[in-house]
Amino acid sequence: MTPIKTFVPKNHPRYFSLVIREKLVEGFKNGLVAHEGLIAHGRGESFDYLLGEKTTEPALKSIDAASALFMLADRPVLSVNGNTAALCAKEICELNYLLKKSAVEVNLFYRTKKREELIANELRKCGLKKILGVGTGNLREIPELESNRRKVDPEGILIADLVFVPLEDGDRTIALKKMNKKVITVDLNPLSRTSVTADVSIVDNIVRVVPQLIKCIEYHGKNSTKKELQGIVSSYNNDEVLREGLDIMRSSKMLTASEHK
Ligand code: ATP
Ligand code: MG
């Protein structure tokens, strides 16, 4: 995670969680994050609390499968919304750089020209030159979707074979699947419509996922053949991984007062 100026003492038990909140509030003040984005974060962070704010074994399996899918794809697109831009714009740009064949597209539920531009600027600050989905002029609409997220770039999501949609709404995930695209999501809620619909659902916090994805893709780039990557994808079972994630949350330990101190 990109460091920010924080008032949270480093030894605070919820240090990372509070720093993430500060980043989102900063993103909100800068116009990147919508009011609703702050609330959506609250839903996510409650699940993260149950996970112990750690990347779990099932999440690592999903990250491995996602890395293999990314490497096998011809036209992967990384979809970026306000929360994703506020939390990990730099890491998304690094991932895009590593993948080479990919593109980054701004796609917003609460789309305004201003937020679109602010998010594009945030990505530009991280060195990204080509940003899709900006400027409503040439955008197309994906079928059966009412929200603003139906607007997609004809050079990006419209023709992508794989779409990375972190922190996504269920309607659009379902619409993308109906268009026969492979979908990878990052969603702390293993019960969301997005999680159950995507091909690979990484039940973990996006701030931990993207750096781990980068490491995993670098590893496979050096060590794995195409056949091995195909093997990882075909042996992956998303439903099973979601169940395992939920089991971890269910068995989340209740701490005693003295352990909390
Ligand atoms: P769905 O529409 O898929 O049924 P939803 O309506 O509950 O889900 P949305 O607001 O559409 O949720 O999408 C946001 C999702 O992102 C939520 O499931 C939330 O748990 C998750 N989320 C929020 N912040 C993070 C984060 N930092 N990392 C990972 N997931 C997050
Ligand atoms: Mg939703």
Side-chain angles (χ1 to χ4, degrees):
M1 207 191 337
T2 329
I4 58 158
K5 243 198 204 155
T6 175
F7 297 101
V8 187
K10 275 242 158 49
N11 62 353
H12 191 288
R14 304 240 87 77
Y15 175 77
F16 285 108
S17 172
L18 295 175
V19 170
I20 295 171
R21 282 189 187 174
E22 285 187 353
K23 284 197 93 174
L24 276 169
V25 170
E26 193 180 70
F28 174 74
K29 286 183 188 157
N30 296 338
L32 299 177
V33 174
H35 293 92
E36 295 80 356
L38 295 177
I39 299 168
H41 178 75
R43 174 133 68 209
E45 107 175 344
S46 56
F47 288 102
D48 207 10
Y49 201 105
L50 294 172
L51 287 178
E53 291 156 9
K54 284 197 286 274
T55 300
T56 61
E57 280 303 315
L60 285 173
K61 276 197 254 176
S62 305
I63 289 171
D64 201 38
S67 302
L69 268 184
F70 267 130
M71 294 174 80
L72 292 168
D74 289 321
R75 287 189 302 267
V77 169
L78 313 177
S79 176
V80 173
N81 63 13
N83 285 36
T84 302
L87 292 177
C88 55
K90 181 172 150 274
E91 292 78 3
I92 290 283
C93 294
E94 281 170 15
L95 175 62
N96 179 57
Y97 183 74
L98 180 66
L99 289 171
K100 293 186 182 70
K101 289 192 214 165
S102 59
V104 177
E105 178 164 339
V106 176
N107 189 275
L108 307 177
F109 195 94
Y110 301 99
R111 191 185 270 275
T112 64
K113 188 112 195 70
K114 193 161 171 230
R115 278 188 68 228
E116 201 179 277
E117 265 309 322
L118 286 167
I119 292 169
N121 271 340
E122 195 64 21
L123 295 165
R124 274 185 210 110
K125 277 195 248 162
C126 305
L128 191 67
K129 299 225 163 54
K130 187 167 179 181
I131 301 158
L132 302 177
V134 184
T136 40
N138 62 345
L139 298 186
R140 305 282 163 78
E141 297 191 351
I142 55 178
E144 298 175 54
L145 203 54
E146 304 260 315
S147 79
N148 272 333
R149 286 197 141 182
R150 72 183 181 278
K151 292 183 185 151
V152 294
D153 198 298
E155 279 184 66
I157 291 174
L158 193 71
I159 55 161
D161 55 347
L162 168 67
V163 198
F164 179 61
V165 283
L167 286 46
E168 179 59 61
D169 175 55
D171 280 10
R172 194 168 71 127
T173 310
I174 295 165
L176 292 172
K177 281 311 299 166
K178 281 191 184 154
M179 291 169 81
N180 281 328
K181 297 182 189 297
K182 291 269 180 233
V183 175
I184 300 173
T185 192
V186 178
D187 192 331
L188 277 158
N189 178 4
L191 301 167
S192 75
R193 291 173 311 149
T194 299
S195 287
V196 300
T197 311
D199 296 280
V200 175
S201 309
I202 308 168
V203 180
D204 195 9
N205 199 313
I206 186 146
V207 301
R208 296 189 295 268
V209 171
V210 185
Q212 192 63 37
L213 262 176
I214 291 172
K215 275 193 209 151
C216 197
I217 291 168
E218 281 171 343
Y219 173 85
H220 284 306
K222 289 189 193 127
N223 299 293
S224 308
T225 61
K226 190 171 176 187
K227 206 158 172 231
E228 283 165 337
L229 295 176
Q230 285 163 340
I232 293 172
V233 172
S234 59
S235 62
Y236 177 79
N237 181 332
N238 203 49
D239 292 343
E240 194 178 281
V241 165
L242 290 178
R243 262 196 304 277
E244 288 169 6
L246 202 53
D247 285 346
I248 292 175
M249 291 180 191
R250 262 201 219 104
S251 60
S252 190
K253 270 205 236 96
M254 173 95 170
L255 297 179
T256 61
S258 61
E259 282 171 308
H260 258 306
K261 278 177 196 153

